[in-house]
C-alpha cells in the first residue's frame, strides 16, 4: 500500500498543486503534469455527462494495471486527485483530510488568489504530516 502522488486541479482544469511521495511513478516534466491534469479534467467532465442514472459528479475512481486514481470533487469544482497503489484502501479518507487542510491553510490565507498555484508552507506541512513519504 502506497500513496504515489497528490494533485489539486482548479475548476478550469489547471494544475495548481502537485507533489510526489513514493517511488513508482515515471518522472514527468511540469508541462506533462499540466497536460495530464487538463486531460483528467476533460475525462471527468465527460463521465459526469454519461451517467445513465441522471446527474452524476463524474468519475470517482480510475484504476490502471498498477495504480488507482481517486478523485474528490468539491462544491466549488476543485478536484483533489490521489494516485495510489491498487491495495490502498484509505484514499477517500486521506482526500477528505487533504481537502480540510486545503480549506484551513490555503483558502483562509488572505494572500492566496483562488484558482492560482498553491504556494503555502502551512499546506505543505499539513500534507507531509498527513501523507508523509507515502509508504505505510
Amino acid at each position: 500500500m502506497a500513496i504515489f502522488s497528490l494533485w489539486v486541479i482548479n475548476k478550469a482544469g489547471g494544475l495548481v498543486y502537485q507533489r510526489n511521495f513514493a517511488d513508482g511513478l515515471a518522472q514527468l516534466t511540469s508541462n506533462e503534469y499540466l497536460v495530464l491534469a487538463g486531460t483528467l479534467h476533460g475525462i471527468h467532465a465527460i463521465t459526469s455527462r454519461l451517467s445513465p442514472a441522471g446527474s452524476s459528479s463524474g468519475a470517482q475512481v480510475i484504476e490502471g494495471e498498477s495504480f488507482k486514481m481517486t478523485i474528490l470533487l468539491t462544491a466549488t469544482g476543485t478536484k483533489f486527485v490521489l494516485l495510489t497503489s491498487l491495495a490502498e484502501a484509505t484514499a477517500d479518507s486521506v482526500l477528505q483530510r487533504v481537502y480540510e487542510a486545503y480549506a484551513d491553510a490555503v483558502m483562509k490565507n488572505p494572500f492566496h488568489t483562488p484558482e492560482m498555484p498553491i504556494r503555502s508552507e502551512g499546506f505543505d506541512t499539513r500534507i507531509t504530516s498527513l501523507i508523509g513519504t507515502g509508504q505505510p
Side-chain angles (χ1 to χ4, degrees):
M1 299 187 310
I3 296 175
F4 299 121
S5 189
L6 170 67
W7 300 353
V8 179
I9 302 171
N10 66 20
K11 64 183 174 189
L15 186 66
V16 294
Y17 185 83
Q18 182 278 323
R19 184 165 165 196
N20 291 335
F21 298 98
D23 294 331
L25 292 178
Q27 296 296 344
L28 302 175
T29 66
S30 297
N31 285 341
E32 289 169 326
Y33 278 116
L34 291 171
V35 169
L36 286 174
T39 302
L40 179 62
H41 177 73
I43 289 170
H44 196 269
I46 291 168
T47 59
S48 69
R49 301 291 217 117
L50 291 177
S51 173
S55 68
S56 168
S57 64
Q60 295 175 347
V61 177
I62 300 173
E63 287 189 19
E65 289 181 8
S66 60
F67 73 96
K68 178 171 59 172
M69 216 182 239
T70 306
I71 305 163
L72 171 69
L73 177 66
T74 68
T76 61
T78 301
K79 292 173 199 66
F80 292 83
V81 182
L82 201 62
L83 281 76
T84 65
S85 64
L86 291 172
E88 182 63 50
T90 63
D92 289 326
S93 64
V94 169
L95 278 176
Q96 189 60 43
R97 291 194 314 260
V98 167
Y99 178 45
E100 291 167 7
Y102 171 80
D104 287 341
V106 178
M107 295 312 294
K108 291 180 182 176
N109 179 351
F111 301 107
H112 175 73
T113 305
E115 307 301 317
M116 296 305 290
I118 298 168
R119 306 270 189 258
S120 169
E121 189 174 315
F123 183 65
D124 282 334
T125 301
R126 292 197 53 187
I127 294 303
T128 300
S129 69
L130 278 173
I131 299 174
T133 63
Q135 298 295 334

